[in-house]
Amino acid sequence: MSTAPAPFTADDYQARMERAAQAAADAGLAGVLIAPGPDMVWLTGYRPPAETERLTMLVLAAGQEPVLVVPTLEAPDAEKAAGAPALTLRDWTDGKDPYAVTAPLLDVDGRFGVSDNTWALHLLGIQGQLPGTTYTPLTACLPMLRGVKDAHELERLAAAGAAADATYEEIKKVRFAGRRELEVAGDLADLLRQFGHEQVDFTVVGSGPNGANPHHEAGERVIEHGDMIVLDFGGLMHGYGSDTSRTVHVGEPTDEERKVHDIVRRAQEAGCAAVRPGIACQEVDRAARAVIDEAGYGEYFIHRTGHGIGVTTHEPPYMIEGEEQPLVPGMCFSVEPGIYLPGRFGVRIEDIVTVTQDGGRRLNATERELAVVE
């Protein structure tokens, strides 16, 4: 069990909000509007009640103090957030118009970036007050807002990766044959929590032909001797994500199964080796994909090579053809090539990698060779 890292401070959140406001200005935006979700947690430390229909919104603009608009009944909790000292709370009571409270904070003719999960109800309500405003999602206008991690964030991501590694080492010791996928998935979830995760996001157990579906959800299939099994699992620890995949085999694999697994292992190695500052994200995808293409299995590699990770397990940047965003030290993302043979089996190997000053560093360190389990 790792020691909990020091909590983020009001100064940390103030720096993030200032950086977001300046990034918006640099992108030609009047500011950003942040709804409840991962962006708000990252910027303020405040996590409003899930699925609240009441307007809660952070307004950021360069040269203007951050303001968090909240329902009055939730203001006491918002005041306790770690980032609250760095912003102004403006509350509204039930029966009042929350959009009339929010509108004076905005440039009447401004174009604003909005967090991707903003309710249309609230955005249209604000636009009703300010018909001259326009909006664009943060993924389109500021995709790297959370993309570059600082040392404290990297510490959390490394701890989450180590916990996922410990989970893999333990899961190899359990019995697979004769058990349902759901049972093994339950073991994975229990182990992730045992090693420090507060949230489990996914536990993929794709046995035999189910492994040919990259996002197969563990089901009732009973695992058999001779099955190849894709294990893909992760969640949040200290608020930051883990995500790793390894492929194991029940009993001794065939020569073909070993061959396919080795192709994926070499592709994953090539993708990781390509990581360095300044190259485009698509170059990581190209490096991994080239190995699989050259081996004749290109049509069976059916997804991108990787995705960013941070306060969510999937976020920009994405390692995919056409993504020309250059890699920057502090970025963290998965490298996870795979081969999926319909009706037969699949193989995927995944590590989280962070960009360093002169290359890349894996945050997962478990064996990548094909493990034989019982």
Side-chain angles (χ1 to χ4, degrees):
M1 191 80 68
S2 65
T3 303
F8 294 119
T9 67
D11 288 343
D12 293 324
Y13 291 113
Q14 180 176 0
R16 291 175 185 178
M17 287 188 280
E18 289 175 352
R19 192 163 81 237
Q22 188 57 53
D26 293 344
L29 300 170
V32 291
L33 307 180
I34 306 296
D39 292 320
M40 182 170 286
V41 174
W42 183 76
L43 285 163
T44 69
Y46 177 49
R47 191 184 300 274
E51 299 301 320
T52 180
E53 78 283 3
R54 294 179 172 92
L55 175 74
T56 301
M57 185 162 286
L58 175 67
V59 180
L60 300 176
Q64 163 178 323
E65 187 173 18
V67 178
L68 179 61
V69 179
V70 295
T72 300
L73 78 168
E74 290 161 13
D77 287 333
E79 289 171 349
K80 297 175 185 174
L87 51 77
T88 295
L89 287 179
R90 188 159 300 182
D91 65 326
W92 61 275
T93 56
D94 285 353
K96 303 294 184 182
D97 184 352
Y99 311 118
V101 174
T102 309
L105 305 173
L106 277 58
D107 181 334
V108 296
D109 295 313
R111 181 169 181 77
F112 293 87
V114 296
S115 47
D116 296 357
N117 58 333
T118 304
W119 283 29
L121 170 72
H122 297 321
L123 201 58
L124 292 170
I126 294 170
Q127 196 168 35
Q129 292 277 335
L130 300 171
T133 54
T134 55
Y135 307 91
T136 183
L138 287 186
T139 289
C141 63
L142 296 175
M144 290 299 107
L145 182 62
R146 304 196 319 257
V148 179
K149 276 64 180 179
D150 64 25
H152 300 297
E153 292 179 292
L154 290 173
E155 177 187 5
R156 287 163 169 77
L157 284 160
D165 284 356
T167 295
Y168 176 64
E169 295 296 352
E170 289 300 312
I171 202 68
K172 288 189 293 182
K173 300 174 185 177
V174 310
R175 183 162 187 82
F176 284 78
R179 302 176 69 211
R180 295 176 301 145
E181 292 174 340
L182 278 169
E183 294 177 81
V184 177
D187 290 342
L188 283 168
D190 289 345
L191 286 165
L192 283 169
R193 293 189 182 98
Q194 177 184 322
F195 289 113
H197 280 61
E198 66 267 10
Q199 177 178 314
V200 176
D201 288 341
F202 50 89
T203 51
V204 173
V205 180
S207 65
N210 288 341
N213 174 1
H215 281 172
H216 170 71
E217 292 192 10
E220 297 290 340
R221 184 181 185 276
V222 176
I223 297 168
E224 303 173 355
H225 188 83
D227 278 348
M228 190 84 94
I229 308 173
V230 176
L231 304 173
D232 184 355
F233 48 94
L236 298 183
M237 180 171 165
H238 307 312
Y240 281 74
S242 69
D243 186 0
T244 189
S245 301
R246 294 291 185 265
T247 303
V248 301
H249 196 276
V250 185
E252 285 300 317
T254 65
D255 288 346
E256 182 193 19
E257 288 169 331
R258 284 194 180 278
K259 172 189 171 185
V260 171
H261 187 278
D262 191 60
I263 293 167
V264 175
R265 183 191 60 76
R266 290 189 289 109
Q268 205 263 352
E269 180 68 35
C272 291
V275 175
R276 63 183 183 278
I279 71 161
C281 291
Q282 66 182 359
E283 296 301 330
V284 178
D285 182 83
R286 289 174 178 176
R289 200 168 298 276
V291 176
I292 294 175
D293 285 344
E294 289 166 9
Y297 288 87
E299 66 182 294
Y300 303 112
F301 181 11
I302 55 177
H303 56 71
R304 64 197 176 204
T305 291
H307 58 81
I309 189 168
V311 293
T312 57
T313 49
H314 282 202
E315 62 185 45
Y318 298 103
M319 306 302 114
I320 184 65
E321 182 66 32
E323 179 52 78
E324 297 181 349
Q325 166 68 44
L327 299 186
V328 176
M331 284 182 175
C332 291
F333 49 84
S334 65
V335 177
E336 51 178 306
I339 292 175
Y340 309 93
L341 303 179
R344 301 184 62 206
F345 65 88
V347 176
R348 182 164 64 257
I349 301 172
E350 174 185 14
D351 292 322
I352 299 303
V353 177
T354 183
V355 184
T356 64
Q357 293 298 323
D358 57 2
R361 176 171 65 93
R362 285 178 162 117
L363 299 186
N364 297 103
T366 52
E367 182 62 59
R368 296 169 192 88
E369 300 294 335
L370 181 56
V372 174
V373 297
E374 295 183 354

